[in-house]
């Protein structure tokens, strides 16, 4: 009786997981809706990004990082350092407010990016830049 009970529970569990898989929403498809760039002071730059279809804050942060990488390259610099990013979700419209410093040499700090390498990764991942 115990074995048949376990088999019944396994069968029920398998059926439940199949139903859950059929009702799951499809993967998010990000829509990148623009970047607003503001030079704050010399090498300090603010990026406001907006997107829908983000899977979460990491997608918004990546969008800001891609904007920073391209901006650094446009200005003739090779590196950027992340200062901060604030992310807001307003009913499915995601907004990011990111600040980076840009520099010709690798800056001090833990959150530095090589602008050229990052810009290539962004292009490969379909994330638009400035």
């Amino acid at each position: 009786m115990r074995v048949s009970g376990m088999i019944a529970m396994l069968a029920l569990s398998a059926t439940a997981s199949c139903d859950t898989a059929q009702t799951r929403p499809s993967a998010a498809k990000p829509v990148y809706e623009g970047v607003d760039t503001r030079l704050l002071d010399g090498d300090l730059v603010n990026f406001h990004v907006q997107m829908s279809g983000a899977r979460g804050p990491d997608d918004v942060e990546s969008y800001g990082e891609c904007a920073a990488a391209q901006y650094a390259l446009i200005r003739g610099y090779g590196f950027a350092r992340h200062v901060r990013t604030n992310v807001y979700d307003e009913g499915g419209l995601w907004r990011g407010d990111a600040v980076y410093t840009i520099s010709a040499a690798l800056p001090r700090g833990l959150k530095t990016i090589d602008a050229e390498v990052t810009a290539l990764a962004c292009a490969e991942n379909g994330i638009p830049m400035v």
Side-chain angles (χ1 to χ4, degrees):
M1 188 83 167
R2 281 190 141 188
V3 173
S4 64
M6 287 180 66
I7 292 172
M9 283 182 49
L10 288 172
L12 183 59
S13 175
T15 304
S17 67
C18 289
D19 290 341
T20 303
Q22 291 173 358
T23 59
R24 283 188 189 136
S26 62
K29 294 186 180 179
V31 176
Y32 300 97
E33 299 182 11
V35 177
D36 181 30
T37 305
R38 295 183 184 136
L39 182 61
L40 298 175
D41 182 39
D43 64 350
L44 193 62
V45 187
N46 185 215
F47 301 93
H48 288 262
V49 297
Q50 182 172 301
M51 66 185 295
S52 57
R55 293 169 294 196
D58 289 346
D59 285 352
V60 182
E61 290 174 13
S62 293
Y63 190 18
E65 182 175 85
C66 290
Q70 185 65 33
Y71 183 84
L73 293 173
I74 289 169
R75 300 281 300 208
Y77 295 105
F79 299 93
R81 182 177 55 85
H82 180 252
V83 175
R84 66 133 174 95
T85 300
N86 295 318
V87 177
Y88 312 95
D89 175 15
E90 299 169 353
L93 179 63
W94 290 83
R95 295 173 190 221
D97 176 7
V99 176
Y100 285 82
T101 60
I102 57 173
S103 61
L106 182 63
R108 295 171 68 186
L110 299 175
K111 297 183 178 184
T112 60
I113 62 172
D114 180 316
E116 190 172 328
V117 171
T118 301
L120 287 172
C122 295
E124 288 176 6
N125 291 312
I127 303 173
M129 295 169 274
V130 176

